Amino acid sequence: QAVCGYGSQDALPFRAIKEGELYFQEDREVNLVELALATNIPKGCAETAVRVHVSYLDGKGNLEPQGTVPSAVSTLTDDLLKYYQHVTRAVLGDDPQLMKVALQDLQTNSKISALLPYFVYVVSGVKSVSHDLEQLNRLLHIARSLIQNPFLCLGSYVRSLIASVMYCALEPLAASINPLNDHWTLRDYAAMLLSRIFWTHGDLVSGLYHQILLSLQKVLADPVRPLCSHYGAVVGLHALGWK
């Protein structure tokens, strides 16, 4: 959010702590005497100023400096672009056999590392289709293929994939309003997928183990949450193992 108030139009500097991915505003020293004796009393708020900083992750999860063209874009050839379009259309389309072939290739293709950010972004679309169990299942299938592809280095994208999977497991989806919709099976699949991501790629993100456990515990201990969310937390804990 923009920070409104009196003062200069300079952007507020942010500093990162070394222990984790946390940023905070740097507090500047203020001379109260000069401030109290100042004659130029401001009238109203100054104009809101927002400065944007953009960073990209390459196919291996490495952070690229601002101002550079991300490798995922710079190396995106016409063939890769066509592959991305064909796979997404096949998986989200109406042909089950074509979807199966696309998912299988996504799982074994060794030349699609530049497309990893794009497919992760597609999977993150679970929130926009919470009313459609079929589409949710297909997006989870994409996530599973990415996880099982031995040629992909997920890196920092693990966190995004886990967020999408946990959404399917824990959230009271719009599709769960209709009792005829079998959203329980979707939650079972998401829990299994959560366990697979954690045990195969959990070491790529520090503190991920406790973060997952706290998220599941928080939902399970919240009496306001509906039964389907409690169920998702239970099957999630069960999938992670008795330890």
Side-chain angles (χ1 to χ4, degrees), residues 1 22 64 73 95 104 119 127 176-177 216 222 227 240:
Q1 294 181 350
L22 180 64
E64 297 187 350
V73 175
D95 190 336
Q104 180 63 32
F119 285 120
K127 296 181 181 180
S176 62
I177 298 177
L216 296 175
D222 188 352
L227 173 64
L240 290 177

Side-chain angles (χ1 to χ4, degrees), residues 41 50 54 96 104-105 170 177 190 197 211 215 227 236 238:
I41 300 176
V50 180
V54 181
Q104 180 63 32
D105 190 80
L170 301 177
I177 298 177
I197 296 174
Q211 178 186 341
S215 298
L227 173 64
H238 176 71

Side-chain angles (χ1 to χ4, degrees), residues 31-46:
N31 190 320
L32 294 179
V33 176
E34 292 182 0
L35 187 65
L37 299 178
T39 57
N40 57 334
I41 300 176
K43 298 179 180 180
C45 289

Side-chain angles (χ1 to χ4, degrees), residues 90-96 99 103 126 129-142 168 173 175 181-183 186 189:
V91 175
L92 302 178
D94 300 326
D95 190 336
M99 179 187 69
L103 290 172
V126 289
V129 291
S130 66
H131 60 285
D132 193 332
L133 286 178
E134 182 64 28
Q135 293 290 64
L136 289 173
N137 270 295
R138 295 183 180 205
L139 292 177
L140 289 183
H141 286 324
I142 294 178
C168 294
L173 307 171
N181 289 334
D182 185 15
H183 58 96
L186 176 75
Y189 182 57

Side-chain angles (χ1 to χ4, degrees), residues 4 15 17 29-30 45 63 67 155 167 186 200 208 210 224 230 236:
C4 301
R15 296 289 181 265
I17 62 174
E29 292 186 0
V30 178
C45 289
L63 195 64
Y167 178 86
L186 176 75
T200 56
L208 188 63
H210 294 290
V224 181
H230 289 162

Side-chain angles (χ1 to χ4, degrees), residues 37-225:
L37 299 178
T39 57
N40 57 334
I41 300 176
K43 298 179 180 180
C45 289
E47 290 186 6
T48 302
V50 180
R51 177 176 296 176
V52 179
H53 180 90
V54 181
S55 297
Y56 297 99
L57 291 175
D58 62 13
K60 298 182 179 179
N62 300 316
L63 195 64
E64 297 187 350
Q66 183 182 14
T68 61
V69 178
S71 62
V73 175
S74 61
T75 60
L76 208 58
T77 63
D78 291 340
D79 290 338
L80 280 175
L81 185 58
K82 290 179 181 178
Y83 177 89
Y84 168 76
Q85 294 172 341
H86 288 316
V87 168
T88 51
R89 289 171 183 169
V91 175
L92 302 178
D94 300 326
D95 190 336
Q97 184 60 32
L98 197 58
M99 179 187 69
K100 183 178 179 180
V101 173
L103 290 172
Q104 180 63 32
D105 190 80
L106 194 61
Q107 182 178 326
T108 56
N109 199 311
S110 61
K111 302 176 182 179
I112 59 172
S113 59
L115 291 174
L116 178 59
Y118 294 83
F119 285 120
V120 171
Y121 177 76
V122 171
V123 175
S124 68
V126 289
K127 296 181 181 180
S128 61
V129 291
S130 66
H131 60 285
D132 193 332
L133 286 178
E134 182 64 28
Q135 293 290 64
L136 289 173
N137 270 295
R138 295 183 180 205
L139 292 177
L140 289 183
H141 286 324
I142 294 178
R144 181 177 184 176
S145 294
L146 296 176
I147 296 160
Q148 293 181 328
N149 190 324
F151 304 103
L152 292 179
C153 178
L154 298 183
S156 300
Y157 293 109
V158 169
R159 195 181 296 276
S160 178
L161 288 174
I162 283 185
S164 299
V165 171
M166 291 188 73
Y167 178 86
C168 294
L170 301 177
E171 291 302 317
L173 307 171
S176 62
I177 298 177
N178 187 347
L180 299 179
N181 289 334
D182 185 15
H183 58 96
W184 311 102
T185 302
L186 176 75
R187 299 179 193 276
D188 290 340
Y189 182 57
M192 180 275 296
L193 204 54
L194 177 66
S195 174
R196 178 163 297 183
I197 296 174
F198 174 74
W199 290 115
T200 56
H201 297 83
D203 56 338
L204 298 176
V205 181
S206 61
L208 188 63
Y209 178 75
H210 294 290
Q211 178 186 341
I212 293 176
L213 287 183
L214 286 175
S215 298
L216 296 175
Q217 180 186 9
K218 183 179 180 181
V219 172
L220 190 59
D222 188 352
V224 181
R225 289 276 192 155

